[in-house]
Amino acid sequence: MSFQRRTKWNHPGRNLSIGDVVIVKEDTLPRNCGHLACVSKTYPSKDGYIRSVQVDLGDDALPADGKRKGPVRRLDHPVNKLVLLVPSDADEV
């Protein structure tokens, strides 16, 4: 019986950037129920990696005309709780 070992992330991945569309994962919601958001600001750490970002969250319910009535919520969020859906620049995947 041979087992494959899990490898550790040793290679850095892509940093989130402004304009990326992400899903915000929350511990209180089921796995398939995240909020859709857009990255509006990045906070680089001392080593140059993006570890925290500001995301813009819209209303959960839009009216029939599709125009948002309420203000956009801005939240600071760690990147380990975000899932990248659409990168802002398609060349950087």
Side-chain angles (χ1 to χ4, degrees):
M1 203 178 208
S2 74
F3 293 101
Q4 287 185 337
R5 291 185 178 174
R6 288 189 172 189
T7 57
K8 193 173 185 180
W9 275 359
N10 293 323
H11 304 290
R14 178 188 181 276
N15 278 330
L16 289 178
S17 60
I18 296 173
D20 287 345
V21 177
V22 295
I23 292 179
V24 179
K25 297 189 298 184
E26 293 188 26
D27 296 332
T28 58
L29 294 176
R31 189 173 230 181
N32 61 346
C33 295
H35 296 288
L36 197 62
C38 182
V39 176
S40 60
K41 192 174 187 181
T42 60
Y43 303 112
S45 62
K46 292 179 183 178
D47 59 1
Y49 293 113
I50 305 296
R51 303 205 190 277
S52 181
V53 295
Q54 182 182 55
V55 293
D56 294 343
L57 289 171
D59 293 336
D60 289 339
L62 289 176
D65 61 357
K67 294 183 180 177
R68 187 170 288 121
K69 303 282 188 207
V72 174
R73 293 185 299 162
R74 297 184 193 276
L75 300 174
D76 289 338
H77 221 278
V79 297
N80 62 339
K81 295 289 185 174
L82 301 174
V83 177
L84 177 65
L85 280 183
V86 181
S88 61
D89 188 9
D91 298 333
E92 283 189 34
V93 177

